[in-house]
Amino acid sequence: MSDRKPRLCVITTGGTIGMVRDADGIAHPPVDHSDFHNLLGPIAGRYDLTALPLMNRDSTNMLPSDWSRIAEHIDQSRGEGFDGYVVTHGTDTLAHSAAAVAFALGPPPLLSPVVFTGAMHTPDHDDYDGLANLQTACRVASANLGEVVIAFGSSIYRGVRVEKVSATELDAFASPESYALGRVAEEVVLHDDAVRRGNEAEHPHWPAETGFADRVATVSLTPGLEPALYESLLVSDRPCRGVLLRTLGAGNVSSRETTDWVRWIARATEQDIPVVLTSSFFGGRTDASGYALGQAAIEAGAIPHAGLTEPCVEVKLRHSIAAAQRHGVAACEFVRNVMAHNYFGELGGSPQSTTEDE
């Protein structure tokens, strides 16, 4: 990028990084974005910044349609010469949105990185971290990086391989069973596994696929939980399109009497409703085949995965169901194949490797 200022697009979506507190001390999104845009002042001299106030939401109110909207705005501006994108976002669902934008924009290398960031404290707080995180994100967006990442504190995380692990600490994110993709100190230091920028001649960008299925349910198994309580997911006028079944261990599912979830899985599979097994443990890895109850769930049609984070497994399920609908193919088999593939490094390691089960 020679000596010219890096040209960055800063997309604001809301979140604590720009919230204000009312007279009762309750934080909420501001009426307009002007106060937040004033934060860009201290760093504007180092970059050619274009600010895009896309939405103004507490991230708890983010929907899959909002993921699509963020990705569509990035995709539509990919020919406008931006060296990178910074997306400010609330932290509660920041990892979901980062993973979703990665899936929507297609496998790396991207020609320009997309860097998500946010804050743990509001601007009026003595320990406000939003400006520092925004400065870090701009530096990362200017680096030789070609994928969707989260920059938070001094760490850089792959967008499909990160979870929020604290509601109070400034270092609120981590990558399970993985190292950070890079660090930011005097320089931006990237790990060897980080995907570098592509070039248009060799890596023309993939057509964006910004669809994410609705009506995807998450069910957390607990001792004695009866599948009859979730009958409406299968038999209502608008049955669900997919289910994340969060198991108690590495994929075991009860088959006893009124808590027979194995039979429920079989019924869902017969209706082409994918049921993906995940775990309540950090990292979500399932290895259901090691126990009889887990093997019974797989034989009934349940789909395991090899260590997706909790945000990413939901995003990947929604994205793959939408893709199956778009291609007019059976959802269960399509989702099973997609879950085995490491498109973006979401299963750990480098992108585009595959598991032995694929």
Side-chain angles (χ1 to χ4, degrees):
M1 286 183 276
S2 68
D3 293 329
R4 69 176 177 82
K5 293 180 181 179
R7 186 162 184 253
L8 305 180
C9 180
V10 180
I11 300 172
T12 59
T13 68
T16 299
I17 191 170
M19 283 188 174
V20 296
R21 292 190 181 274
D22 60 23
D24 296 321
I26 305 300
H28 56 85
V31 175
D32 60 56
H33 291 261
S34 58
D35 288 341
F36 175 75
H37 287 164
N38 290 336
L39 294 175
L40 299 177
I43 60 176
R46 282 170 271 172
Y47 305 96
D48 179 3
L49 297 178
T50 297
L52 174 62
L54 185 60
M55 58 187 81
N56 191 15
R57 306 199 198 291
D58 185 307
S59 72
T60 302
N61 278 332
M62 282 285 183
L63 302 176
S65 58
D66 294 317
W67 306 340
S68 300
R69 190 176 169 197
I70 297 169
E72 286 163 359
H73 275 75
I74 294 171
D75 181 59
Q76 291 164 6
S77 68
R78 285 203 270 193
E80 297 180 14
F82 290 114
D83 297 309
Y85 297 85
V86 172
V87 182
T88 63
H89 195 289
T91 59
D92 285 349
T93 64
L94 188 151
H96 294 78
S97 293
V101 169
F103 275 91
L105 295 182
L110 302 178
L111 304 185
S112 303
V114 179
V115 185
F116 281 76
T117 196
M120 296 301 291
H121 295 302
T122 52
D124 63 328
H125 197 284
D126 290 341
D127 292 325
Y128 179 56
D129 54 327
L131 179 57
N133 285 342
L134 186 58
Q135 291 172 326
T136 295
C138 287
R139 293 178 64 190
V140 175
S142 306
N144 183 15
L145 185 64
E147 54 182 304
V148 178
V149 300
I150 290 174
F152 213 88
S154 60
S155 298
I156 306 168
Y157 301 102
R158 180 161 280 149
V160 294
R161 193 74 197 148
V162 63
E163 295 187 40
K164 185 177 179 180
V165 294
S166 175
T168 57
E169 299 297 323
L170 295 182
D171 291 328
F173 291 86
S175 288
E177 301 180 11
S178 300
Y179 38 75
L181 201 62
R183 304 285 294 180
V184 180
E186 292 185 5
E187 303 289 338
V188 176
V189 180
L190 298 174
H191 192 275
D192 290 343
D193 279 349
V195 178
R196 270 48 179 187
R197 291 173 183 265
N199 63 75
E200 198 160 5
E202 297 181 10
H203 305 103
H205 67 71
W206 294 63
E209 295 186 354
T210 61
F212 296 91
D214 59 0
R215 305 207 307 271
V216 172
T218 297
V219 178
S220 295
L221 297 185
T222 57
L225 185 67
E226 298 178 358
L229 296 173
Y230 297 87
E231 188 72 6
S232 62
L233 295 180
L234 305 183
V235 301
S236 68
D237 293 338
R238 298 179 75 243
C240 69
R241 291 198 169 107
V243 177
L244 287 174
L245 197 60
R246 187 178 294 123
T247 66
L248 292 170
N252 288 337
V253 174
S254 173
S255 63
R256 183 180 174 188
E257 301 168 358
T258 59
T259 64
D260 189 350
W261 281 93
V262 173
R263 183 180 300 176
W264 193 92
I265 291 169
R267 290 178 57 209
T269 303
E270 288 171 2
Q271 297 177 50
D272 199 32
I273 299 173
V275 179
V276 175
L277 299 181
T278 188
S279 171
S280 57
F281 300 120
F282 183 49
R285 182 179 298 274
T286 53
D287 185 15
S289 61
Y291 289 86
L293 290 179
Q295 184 61 35
I298 292 175
E299 290 174 357
I303 301 168
H305 68 84
L308 294 166
T309 63
E310 186 169 339
C312 189
V313 69
E314 178 179 353
V315 166
K316 193 170 187 178
L317 177 58
R318 288 182 181 273
H319 193 258
S320 57
I321 292 172
Q325 293 171 333
R326 188 167 57 251
H327 295 301
V329 298
C332 284
E333 191 59 30
F334 189 87
V335 169
R336 187 181 303 278
N337 290 334
V338 167
M339 286 292 169
H341 199 94
N342 199 23
Y343 297 98
F344 306 91
E346 66 267 30
L347 298 177
S350 300
Q352 293 294 347
S353 61
T354 56
T355 68
E356 295 178 357
D357 296 331
E358 186 184 19

